[in-house]
Amino acid sequence: MDPGFTTEQDEIRRTLRGLLHQRSGPHELRAALDTPAGHDPALWAALADHLGLPGLALPEAYGGVGCPVADLALACEETGRVLAPSPLLATSVLAAPLILALGTDAQRAALLPRIAAGTLTATFAVPAPALATALALTRGNDGDWAGGGRAGGVQARRVAGAWRLYGEAAQVLDGHSAGLLLVAAHTGGYVRSRTLLFLVPGESEGLVRVRQTALDATRPQGHVQLRHVTAELMGGDDERDVLAALAALGDRAAAVLACEAVGAADRALERTVEYVGRREQFGRAIGSFQAVQHRLADVHVQLQAARSAAYYAAWATGRDARVGGLALAQALEALRTAAGEAIQLHGGIGFTWEHDAHLYFKRAAGDELLFGPAHRLRAHAADRARLFTREEVTV
């Protein structure tokens, strides 16, 4: 592994940071959160037109840039610094790789160029709270998380030669506004039970979507109801391919999320250091107190360790090294620590709506609810590596 960044990667980071500084400051962030979609469409258009961010990791054959996943992860580190609300995670990190991996040639040709151009947003819809399970981050995804033939979840059945979906999914990232939904549904009853993925356009008849109130408002979420919605099967009907693709996606998404969390933690620490250097108590800046310095030094050390793990996980995607979950666990803990110290050291104003420190803490807590928690990410990684499996040794 080369620990240095290429010229292209440095340019992506520099350009993106400059654009976000201009277009996604604190005032713009709060204004975007109050819109029906929960993000600024003008910012999304700028990210697509100026940087090609939605198609950064898509092949050039489909209108993408053709960069490795590490470049997308570094870009998400910059969006994480400012908590920029956008469809990037749902569209480019979750949905687009699934279409690329499982879609037919016709489905890829019809959807991926529009995603790369930023004209189509998409998301991955699973019954809540099964997203981490579906991506095989906290346990194996060969269970009945999509519905399992029981009440709840999403059921799929063939009616007159067409697939129909019925059920609901909550906590769907951008589920209220995405132009395309990739819905995981259970089919086959008890005997031939399997989980398949279906394409559902956002304007489909029988599809009801509303925005949910989420702990982390910078990650807009929707509640999706499907009332006998006509859907198109994505790829073939082999569940083994679907589950394997979701597990591979989970590791890749975890690496990107780890970089995003590192960016958020880095900015939370920066703002705290700036504040304690200005805030005076007993006639001196509180940053000069040794206790405060020690607390921030601990955050810095934890952050640097998480950054190293996140960068390695991003580099390792596609190299048969499933380390994304471990990197995400470390990054989420670093973000939670940095955001918690930010609130504590900002004092009374730190947890108020007027200050952004609480937004970083909610990002940490919200991501643990969606993709973790950290101890389950580590436990599943240990189980997959058979770390605590006792094996008899014969001599």
Side-chain angles (χ1 to χ4, degrees), residues 146-236:
R150 304 172 299 179
V154 180
Q155 308 295 323
R157 62 191 183 100
R158 293 184 72 91
V159 179
W163 285 100
R164 295 293 185 94
L165 305 185
Y166 186 87
E168 63 179 12
Q171 297 177 335
V172 179
L173 297 174
D174 297 310
H176 58 296
S177 61
L180 177 70
L181 282 76
L182 277 62
V183 182
H186 171 267
T187 186
Y190 181 80
V191 178
R192 300 185 62 234
S193 172
R194 64 191 191 279
T195 298
L196 301 176
L197 296 183
F198 297 87
L199 299 171
V200 178
E203 67 277 4
S204 297
E205 183 178 357
L207 179 64
V208 180
R209 306 186 289 172
V210 295
R211 184 178 177 183
Q212 287 185 279
T213 300
L215 172 64
D216 177 15
T218 65
R219 279 219 201 282
Q221 301 173 25
H223 184 274
V224 177
Q225 289 185 335
L226 302 110
R227 302 172 179 176
H228 301 294
V229 174
T230 302
E232 178 184 355
L233 178 65
M234 189 167 73

Side-chain angles (χ1 to χ4, degrees), residues 10 87 147 149-150 169 185 194 227 262 288 341 358 382 392:
D10 286 333
R150 304 172 299 179
R194 64 191 191 279
R227 302 172 179 176
V262 164
S288 64
E341 291 291 357
H358 75 100
E392 295 184 2

Side-chain angles (χ1 to χ4, degrees), residues 221-314:
Q221 301 173 25
H223 184 274
V224 177
Q225 289 185 335
L226 302 110
R227 302 172 179 176
H228 301 294
V229 174
T230 302
E232 178 184 355
L233 178 65
M234 189 167 73
D237 60 357
D238 190 340
E239 183 192 30
R240 291 171 298 178
D241 293 341
V242 171
L243 298 181
L246 288 176
L249 172 67
D251 185 74
R252 165 185 172 144
V256 175
L257 284 163
C259 287
E260 186 188 68
V262 164
D266 187 43
R267 183 55 184 151
L269 178 59
E270 282 183 4
R271 297 187 63 158
T272 307
V273 171
E274 293 171 0
Y275 179 78
V276 298
R278 299 192 310 265
R279 178 79 165 92
E280 291 189 358
Q281 189 71 34
F282 306 113
R284 55 190 290 193
I286 62 174
S288 64
F289 297 129
Q290 191 177 60
V292 174
Q293 294 174 354
H294 285 178
R295 290 172 67 172
L296 293 178
D298 289 341
V299 175
H300 175 74
V301 171
Q302 189 173 4
L303 171 60
Q304 295 308 315
R307 174 177 279 118
S308 296
Y311 286 173
Y312 175 75

Side-chain angles (χ1 to χ4, degrees), residues 26 31 70-71 94 111 135 198 206 230 239 287 304 322 343 360:
D71 290 22
L94 296 180
L111 300 174
L135 298 176
F198 297 87
T230 302
E239 183 192 30
Q304 295 308 315
R322 297 289 180 90
I343 291 176
Y360 287 88

